[in-house]
Amino acid sequence: MFLVTIGIVYGDIGTSPLYVMKSILQGNGGIGAVNDAFIIGSLSLIIWTITLLTTVKYVLIAMKADNNGEGGIFSLYSLVRNCGKWLIFPAMIGGAALLADGVLTPAVTVTTAVEGLRSIASMDRLLGSGQAKVILITLGIICALFAVQHAGTSKIGKAFGPMMLLWFSFLGITGIMNVFHYPVVLMAFNPIYAVQVLFSPYNKVGLMILGSVFLAATGAEALYSDMGHVGRENIYFSWPFVKLCLILNYLGQGAWILTSRTDHALLAIDDLNPFFQMLTPALRPAAVLLGAAAAVIASQALITGSYTLVSEAIRLDLMPHLKVQYPSETKGQLYIDTVNKLLWVGCTLVVLYFRSSSRMESAYGLAITVTMLMTTLLLSVYLRRVRKKSALAFFVLVVFGAIESVFFFSSLGKFAHGGYVAVILALLLLSVMIIWYRGTNLERKYCVRLNLRDYLKNLGDLHDDESVPLLAHNLVFFDNGNDTETLDRDVLYSILDKDPKRAEAYWFISLRVLDKPHICRYEVETFGTDYIFRVKLNLGFKDDQRVNVYLRQIVQDLIASGELPEQERKYSIYGKSNVGSFKFFFFRKTVPTMAGLSRLDEIILNCKYAIRRVAGSKIQWYGLDTSSVTVEPVPLIVGGGNSGNRITRHKA
C-alpha cells in the first residue's frame, strides 16, 4: 500500500520542484539578480511553508478530522454541518476553488515537464522556436491520462507507485549532490532567514514572493482529499520520506543557483529552469522522462481528489446526482465519468489558452489559497465544537488563518496575469452549488408528505374498480423518503387524481446505497394488503442499480410466500408467466407561471432543473433504459396550490 499511496497522493506536491524555484527567479529578475541572502531566505520560506501548512496543518491536524475515512473540505463540512447553517458557504467556496485548481494542475505540471525537453540541445532543435510541438505533446499526455481513469485508482496507483518512488529518490539524490557543492544553503532551516528575505532590498517583489513560494504547498489540500483512497496511516508512514526528498531537491537547486549565477551563458537562456539546468547533460533526458511521468501522476492526485469532492458534494445535495462507479472493492476508490470528461475538456482548453507553463503559473495557486482558508475556518469549528479543543482551535484559526491570508493577498497579484481563469472556473462551480443547494431547499420546503395509511381505502377502491382500464400488472413509483409510512403527495396525486391508474399491485420504492461493496437486501411493508408494497431496497456500492431486475426477484419472493397473488401473463416470447407487466413512473418538477415564488427563487429552480437535464436521467441511474418508463411533469405547488382568492358569480 506504500507504493499505491506514493502513486496517488503525492503527485501534485511532488512536482513542485519543477517550477517553484523557476518562478521565484523569474519574479526577481533572473539568475543574475540574486545573491546568497535572497536564495537562502527563499529556501527557508519554502521549507517552513511545507512544514507548517502540509506537515502540521494537514498531516498532523486535518487528517484526524475524517468522515468515515474520507477526507477533503466537504467531508470536513459534514462533521460540522450541525454547528451552524452558515458553514455551508465556506464549504462551497472552498470546494469550488479546489475543483477549479483540479483543472489547472494537469495543464501546468505536464506543460512544465514537456518544456524540460528544451534543456537537451538535440530536443530543443527538434521542438523548434515555437510552442506548437510542446502543446501537441502535452495534449497527447493529458488525453492518455484521462482515458485510463476508468480503470480505477487502485490499479493506477500500483502502476504509478514505483515510478513515483523512483522520482522522489531522484529528487533527493540529485538535490544532495548539489548541496555538497555549496553547503551554506543548509542555513535555510533557520526560519529567521525566511522573515528577513520578505523585507530585504534584494527581494524585488516584497511580499509578492509568497505567491511563488506557495506553489510548494499546493498539493496539501489534494493530499487531504485523497485520504479516502489510501487511508490515513499510509500517508503518515510515507510523508516523512516524501518531505525529505522535496527539501533536499530545493536545497540542491539553491546551491546550484549560487554557484552558477556568474555564468554568462546561463544569463542568455530564456525561461531558465534550475531543476533541469542543475543536472549534468547526461542526466537531463532521464530527468525529463521522470518529470513527465511525475507530472502525469501530479494530475492524478487532483483528478482522484476531484472524484472524492464531487461524490461528497452529491451526498450533501450540493451537486446533481451523477453516476458514481467503484472499480475496486474499496468505496474510497471511485470514478465519475462526467467529472472525468469535464476535467479533460477544461485541461485541454487551459493548455490551448495559455500555451506556456510560465503563463499558467501566473494562474496557478490563487484558487487553492481560498480553499486552504476555508478549510482552516471549518477545521477550527470542528476542533472547538466537536472535539472540544478550544486552545487548538484558536491556534489553527489565528496562526494558519494569518499565514494563508498573507499567501492569498500575495497571490492576488496573479489575478490580472491569468489568475482570473481560476477565479472564473471557481465562480462557475460555486454558482452550480448555490443553485442546487437553494433549489433543493425550496423543493423540501414545499414538499408535502402524506400518510399512506390515510389513502389505503382510495387505493383499494381503485384497485377493485374494473371500469377503469388496467394500466399494468405492476405500477412502480420511486420515493426519496426513508419513512415507510409516508409518501410524496405527487405520487398519490398521480395515481388517484391525474388519470386514475389501476394496477394489480402498487410499488413504492426507496433505494439506499450502503458503505459495503456487495449487499442486496430489501424490506417490505404491505399495510395488511396484497396489492400495496412499500419497499426499502438496500444495495452495496458496487452493485448495479438495476431496479427492474431486483423488483422482479422481489415479486417472485412475495408470490412464493403468498403475500402477492400470482399475476397471469398469457402472452410472452418466453411463454406463460406468473409475473405480470411493469410500468415505472418518474416525476419531472416544473415551475408553473404564477407559482407564488419570488422571481429569484423561480430563476434558481428553473436553473436547477436545466442542470438536472444536462447531468443525466434518473432512468439511467436506476438501470431502466430498456423498461417501460413514463416521465410525468409535476408542478411545484406553493402554499397548497390555493391562492386564497375565490371567484364569485355575478348575476346580470
Side-chain angles (χ1 to χ4, degrees), residues 39-267:
I39 293 298
I40 291 172
S42 300
L43 291 172
S44 186
L45 282 171
I46 292 170
I47 291 169
W48 287 100
T49 296
I50 294 174
T51 300
L52 290 173
L53 289 187
T54 310
T55 304
V56 178
K57 177 186 170 183
Y58 282 97
V59 175
L60 297 181
I61 300 176
M63 280 178 41
K64 292 180 180 177
D66 69 293
N67 183 25
N68 296 318
E70 294 286 352
I73 193 164
F74 287 138
S75 289
L76 181 57
Y77 165 72
S78 66
L79 297 174
V80 299
R81 62 192 303 183
N82 295 326
C83 299
K85 290 183 179 180
W86 64 274
L87 293 170
I88 187 63
F89 297 106
M92 288 193 292
I93 293 168
L98 184 55
L99 286 171
D101 188 66
V103 175
L104 290 169
T105 296
V108 68
T109 53
V110 175
T111 306
T112 303
V114 173
E115 286 177 348
L117 289 168
R118 293 198 180 278
S119 65
I120 306 167
S122 59
M123 293 304 299
D124 186 35
R125 289 192 295 272
L126 184 63
L127 291 173
S129 58
Q131 279 287 100
K133 292 179 181 178
V134 170
I135 292 170
L136 284 174
I137 295 170
T138 300
L139 292 179
I141 292 172
I142 286 175
C143 286
L145 172 66
F146 283 102
V148 301
Q149 290 302 313
H150 68 279
T153 52
S154 181
K155 292 179 182 177
I156 292 170
K158 287 175 183 175
F160 285 169
M163 183 62 69
M164 283 305 287
L165 181 61
L166 181 60
W167 169 251
F168 282 114
S169 302
F170 181 81
L171 290 179
I173 293 168
T174 55
I176 203 168
M177 286 169 58
N178 282 277
V179 169
F180 284 135
H181 295 148
Y182 205 79
V184 175
V185 293
L186 294 174
M187 295 169 63
F189 283 102
N190 186 341
I192 294 295
Y193 294 104
V195 177
Q196 288 177 348
V197 77
L198 293 174
F199 308 100
S200 166
Y202 302 113
N203 173 14
K204 298 178 181 178
V205 291
L207 290 176
M208 294 300 106
I209 192 177
L210 294 174
S212 297
V213 171
F214 181 74
L215 297 176
T218 51
E221 191 74 39
L223 180 151
Y224 182 34
S225 297
D226 280 329
M227 180 170 63
H229 293 260
V230 297
R232 179 196 302 146
E233 291 74 16
N234 290 299
I235 294 177
Y236 284 158
F237 181 70
S238 54
W239 170 243
F241 166 74
V242 170
K243 181 183 177 184
L244 175 64
C245 293
L246 289 172
I247 290 176
L248 286 174
N249 194 265
Y250 285 122
L251 291 171
Q253 289 187 49
W256 176 83
I257 290 169
L258 293 176
T259 56
S260 307
R261 65 183 186 271
T262 56
D263 188 335
H264 294 289
L266 293 174
L267 297 177

Side-chain angles (χ1 to χ4, degrees), residues 463-616:
H463 170 266
D464 297 333
D465 188 354
E466 294 186 1
S467 67
V468 179
L470 188 73
L471 190 58
H473 293 93
N474 300 281
L475 291 187
V476 186
F477 297 84
F478 292 86
D479 186 82
N480 293 326
N482 290 320
D483 179 12
T484 56
E485 294 291 315
T486 63
L487 275 179
D488 191 319
R489 174 179 57 185
D490 293 336
V491 174
L492 290 168
Y493 180 84
S494 174
I495 296 172
L496 298 172
D497 295 81
K498 193 174 184 180
D499 296 329
K501 300 173 177 64
R502 189 166 76 89
E504 290 188 5
Y506 296 98
W507 301 86
F508 308 113
I509 297 180
S510 299
L511 188 147
R512 188 162 65 109
V513 178
L514 305 178
D515 290 334
K516 295 184 179 179
H518 296 290
I519 292 179
C520 291
R521 294 197 304 255
Y522 69 90
E523 305 166 31
V524 179
E525 170 61 59
T526 65
F527 300 95
T529 72
D530 60 1
Y531 54 87
I532 296 176
F533 302 94
R534 184 73 167 89
V535 179
K536 292 177 73 173
L537 185 58
N538 299 308
L539 300 178
F541 64 80
K542 285 257 318 167
D543 294 310
D544 291 330
Q545 295 182 16
R546 296 177 299 168
V547 175
N548 55 345
V549 175
Y550 298 124
L551 186 56
R552 190 170 291 273
Q553 295 172 8
I554 294 170
V555 169
Q556 290 173 338
D557 287 350
L558 295 178
I559 290 174
S561 67
E563 295 171 88
L564 173 67
E566 289 193 5
Q567 301 172 340
E568 185 180 2
R569 187 166 190 168
K570 294 181 180 179
Y571 306 107
S572 169
I573 59 172
Y574 303 108
K576 288 187 177 181
S577 170
N578 63 349
V579 178
S581 59
F582 290 84
K583 230 180 198 339
F584 296 86
F585 280 82
F586 287 97
F587 300 115
R588 186 179 70 245
K589 291 280 189 182
T590 60
V591 184
T593 352
M594 311 289 290
L597 293 165
S598 70
R599 181 61 181 157
L600 177 60
D601 285 346
E602 190 177 326
I603 291 171
I604 286 174
L605 281 168
N606 281 319
C607 287
K608 177 181 178 177
Y609 299 149
I611 293 169
R612 178 181 283 158
R613 286 193 292 273
V614 173

Side-chain angles (χ1 to χ4, degrees), residues 337-393:
D337 186 61
T338 303
V339 175
N340 192 60
K341 289 174 180 173
L342 289 174
L343 288 175
W344 191 341
V345 171
C347 290
T348 302
L349 293 176
V350 166
V351 171
L352 292 173
Y353 178 71
F354 285 106
R355 299 183 67 81
S356 72
S357 63
S358 57
R359 291 187 64 203
M360 292 178 200
E361 285 159 16
S362 299
Y364 193 45
L366 176 58
I368 204 67
T369 57
V370 176
T371 303
M372 285 189 171
L373 276 167
M374 298 303 105
T375 299
T376 295
L377 180 58
L378 294 175
L379 187 58
S380 66
V381 174
Y382 169 77
L383 292 169
R384 182 170 61 88
R385 298 287 297 277
V386 180
R387 296 289 299 275
K388 308 299 182 185
K389 296 183 177 181
S390 299
L392 182 58

